Amino acid sequence: MRQKKSGQIAFGGVMAGLALVVMLLGGIFPLATFCAPAIGGALVMLAAAECGARLAWGMYAAIALVSLWLVPDLEMGMIFACFLGYYPLVKPLLDCIRRPLLRWGAKLLLFNGAVRCMYFLLLVLFPVGYLIAEMGSYGRGMVMVLLALANLAFCVYDRALCGVLQLYMLRLHPLLCRRGRG
């Protein structure tokens, strides 16, 4: 049985608040530049599972805007806004592609397009000084190695999202449904 609309909105609000807290706390730890948006995206996915895609898309947009405005690390906010925030909502559509090679090709094309777009914005349109200096110190070969590692990390993230959703549906969802009835 589906939750009432007010329960869905409340759950979405709690997940959005939690995702924002994760994004804000991400500025404390250097590696969190990539981890915090990934966790935020997983929380958006859980909201989609519980409340539907429509509410989750609104939640993603709100988190992305507030993150870009409040999170001190612009790169972290852009990673969430440009890819990791919405990918868990697009993933079910991509997972419907029957041929594995075509499915992974579409996922990697989306990922690489989003990464290139994001770094174009960060390096050219809205130049971020520390990022320009950091990227300038790398050679072309090192940038290609980093992109290859990013693709590998994305594949791991894609698989991890499946596990997180399974764990949520098996362990936490039944608890939420039981509390909602009683």
Side-chain angles (χ1 to χ4, degrees), residues 93-114:
L93 301 173
L94 294 173
D95 284 341
C96 290
I97 300 173
R98 290 184 185 262
R99 294 187 175 161
L101 193 58
L102 191 58
R103 178 175 54 243
W104 278 103
K107 288 178 178 185
L108 289 170
L109 186 66
L110 175 65
F111 172 71
N112 285 291

Side-chain angles (χ1 to χ4, degrees), residues 14-80:
V14 169
M15 290 293 110
L18 188 56
L20 278 172
V21 166
V22 166
M23 292 292 290
L24 288 168
L25 289 175
I28 296 172
F29 306 105
L31 285 177
T33 300
F34 304 101
C35 296
I39 293 169
L43 293 170
V44 170
M45 177 188 64
L46 297 182
E50 200 64 49
C51 310
R54 189 174 183 186
L55 186 112
W57 277 106
M59 181 180 145
Y60 153 73
I63 296 167
L65 288 173
V66 174
S67 291
L68 289 171
W69 184 42
L70 291 180
V71 173
D73 185 356
L74 183 59
E75 185 181 13
M76 184 188 314
M78 289 293 280
I79 290 169
F80 182 85

